[in-house]
Amino acid sequence: MPGSSSSHHVSRRAALALGLGAAASVTLPGPRAAAAASAVGGERLGRSGVQVASGAPRLPKLAAKAWLVADHDSGDVLASYAAHRALPPASTLKMLFADTVLPKFGRASVHRVTAADLAGIPYGSSLVGVQAGTSYTVEQLWQGVFLRSGNDAVHVLASMNGGVGETVRQMQARAKDLQANDTHVVSPDGFDHKGQVSSAYDLTLFARAGLKNDDFRGYCATKTADFPAGGKKTFQIQNTDRLLTGQGVASYRGLIGVKNGYTSHAGNTFTGAATRGGRTLLVTVMHPASGYEAVYRETAALLDWGFAAAGKADPVGTLVTPLSEQPKGAAAAKPRAGAAGAGAAGAPVAASATSHTDDWAFGGSAAVAVLAGGGLLALRRRERPGGRRRRQG
């Protein structure tokens, strides 16, 4: 009948229009947008470019490939640049090593070093001077790690901890617990190993976690120590953190650590913590363009900015809480008020969860597009007739 035929024709037109409208309204997120949306600590930390609240003091001029300023106590990220960019960490990775292994041995325990303990140290490593056949306290070994960034001391402690391979496994598990998903551990010493990377965000997490341990905090704040030289002899070692000692650059008032690093491949990296006026800030700077002192100058400038910005800069993200410290059900927690673009404080966004989030972001939009596109295709088919280098520091 004409009436039924006309009605059927309108229905198909409506369906066609609906399909076109649905398809036109769908915007599938690109890889960069999806990555930013699922970034640990908040969406803004996954963006490219400098992230800072409007109205905050002017940031200093910086040349680093990545940096981050955060409040130690609240976890608020005050400003950042390429926070999740994966870069070689150099010896700043030793913060994760210490956070993982340091609690396992009493500082007064004594270990007699063997040749096997010192096997496998990369050529060109920074060394504190550990000797096979000499006994060291655990405290002395950690002084070698923190003050001189000694890879020999790292390998001895790793050997005591079950070996390098086991220590790497534990460090990677600790990184996962901290939600440091940008970090891939190949060796506990932070030396240039293929595939070994971290980020400004992750290194800041390591520092924040480590500073909860009194021994960690004490070691990274120590300027000098006497180290065994065999027999009853000792020699003095000095911390290579120039903002702490004032060697080459002005020491930073209120600095409490934590770790510097250098390799010819990674360049200079540094995570520093300082306290002024009852506020403690964390700053990580990775790979300034040139100059051995640049990493310290940029860190000092960012610390100055952070203290000046107190109460004037809304957070652009947050340092998340380790998964092991979260109460049950924390994954459903809402973001803290004022954490602009931040995810839930401490909400777990582990690698697997991030992957699922991306799948949902893509899948939900794709499903609408497929439904719309599928309906349009079906209509068209029905209408179609037929068919020597500088040592690591």
Side-chain angles (χ1 to χ4, degrees), residues 69-91:
V69 185
D71 186 287
H72 173 273
D73 297 325
S74 69
D76 289 341
V77 176
L78 304 180
S80 70
Y81 173 69
H84 285 290
R85 184 178 183 181
L87 294 165
S91 285

Side-chain angles (χ1 to χ4, degrees), residues 64-343:
K65 292 182 179 178
W67 54 263
L68 185 142
V69 185
D71 186 287
H72 173 273
D73 297 325
S74 69
D76 289 341
V77 176
L78 304 180
S80 70
Y81 173 69
H84 285 290
R85 184 178 183 181
L87 294 165
S91 285
T92 48
L93 192 66
K94 288 181 172 78
M95 293 187 294
L96 176 61
F97 171 69
D99 184 52
T100 303
V101 178
L102 194 153
K104 298 186 177 185
F105 305 103
R107 59 190 302 156
S109 300
V110 178
H111 178 77
R112 185 175 178 83
V113 174
T114 67
D117 293 336
L118 299 172
I121 298 172
Y123 175 78
S125 289
S126 56
L127 304 172
V128 65
V130 176
Q131 303 175 35
T134 300
S135 295
Y136 301 84
T137 65
V138 166
E139 178 180 16
Q140 289 166 337
L141 291 171
W142 281 116
Q143 287 172 340
V145 172
F146 277 91
L147 276 65
R148 298 305 301 174
S149 207
N151 287 357
D152 46 358
V154 169
H155 279 252
V156 171
L157 287 162
S159 179
M160 294 168 61
N161 189 50
V164 167
E166 173 60 18
T167 300
V168 166
R169 185 194 67 77
Q170 292 177 17
M171 288 172 65
Q172 195 66 65
R174 178 57 174 158
K176 182 177 180 181
D177 177 52
L178 293 171
Q179 303 189 65
N181 298 336
D182 306 318
T183 298
H184 179 64
V185 182
V186 178
S187 177
D189 49 40
F191 202 73
D192 289 335
H193 297 280
K194 185 177 180 180
Q196 183 150 269
V197 293
S198 191
S199 67
Y201 184 86
D202 287 7
L203 293 176
T204 309
L205 289 179
F206 301 155
R208 190 186 189 207
L211 289 171
K212 295 178 182 178
N213 183 296
D214 289 340
D215 286 340
F216 183 109
R217 183 180 284 257
Y219 290 137
C220 73
T222 301
K223 294 182 180 181
T224 62
D226 292 327
F227 198 79
K232 294 183 178 181
K233 297 180 180 180
T234 63
F235 61 95
Q236 188 182 82
I237 57 175
Q238 185 180 48
N239 202 313
T240 56
D241 177 350
R242 297 189 176 199
L243 283 188
L244 185 69
T245 63
Q247 181 183 357
V249 296
S251 59
Y252 194 84
R253 180 171 59 86
L255 194 83
I256 55 176
V258 281
K259 191 70 187 77
N260 59 327
Y262 172 84
T263 65
S264 56
H265 175 59
N268 291 286
T269 60
F270 183 63
T271 297
T275 299
R276 287 185 183 177
R279 176 185 292 266
T280 299
L281 295 181
L282 296 164
V283 167
T284 295
V285 173
M286 300 187 76
H287 309 198
S290 62
Y292 192 73
E293 284 80 22
V295 72
Y296 300 106
R297 293 195 178 101
E298 294 194 9
T299 298
L302 284 171
L303 284 168
D304 285 344
W305 176 88
F307 288 120
K312 302 174 184 176
D314 291 331
V316 297
T318 188
L319 300 178
V320 293
T321 304
L323 297 175
S324 59
E325 297 178 17
Q326 294 179 17
K328 292 182 179 180
K334 296 181 179 179
R336 290 182 298 104

